[in-house]
Amino acid sequence: MSFIILPMIAWLKGTLFSKAADRIVLDIGGVGYEGTIPFSTYYDLGDVGSSVGLHVYTHVREDTLSLFGFLTTLEKRLFTMLIQVS
């Protein structure tokens, strides 16, 4: 049996380039990373231009790679528990 090891993004820290109620863009070394965020994270983020660090859940499918960002590990753990429910 062989396994494919995929690198997962677990943490991003950068400058908040833009934010909306459901997503943000972080500028990290001139590259913009877009991620989906919950409202709880949105309300606790600083203003555009501030430094932000997010715990990240990386969702990989054959047709997409999505990043979900959370300010706390508790939010991320709750998210991963919810997506495992069938």
Side-chain angles (χ1 to χ4, degrees):
M1 180 185 295
S2 64
F3 294 94
I4 298 173
I5 298 175
L6 297 173
M8 297 298 195
I9 298 170
W11 173 259
L12 289 174
K13 184 174 183 180
T15 302
L16 187 57
F17 182 78
S18 67
K19 72 177 189 175
D22 63 340
R23 63 189 52 251
I24 63 162
V25 175
L26 281 183
D27 179 338
I28 303 171
V31 177
Y33 290 86
E34 182 177 50
T36 302
I37 56 170
F39 287 123
S40 54
T41 293
Y42 172 79
Y43 289 121
D44 289 337
L45 286 174
D47 295 327
V48 170
S50 64
S51 179
V52 175
L54 294 175
H55 301 275
V56 176
Y57 176 82
T58 305
H59 183 74
V60 179
R61 292 184 14 199
E62 57 183 62
D63 61 339
T64 188
L65 184 139
S66 302
L67 302 176
F68 296 85
F70 308 92
L71 280 177
T72 68
T73 56
L74 179 61
E75 289 175 318
K76 182 180 175 182
R77 275 189 278 155
L78 180 59
F79 176 79
T80 55
M81 287 174 24
L82 286 172
I83 63 172
Q84 292 175 5
V85 175
S86 57

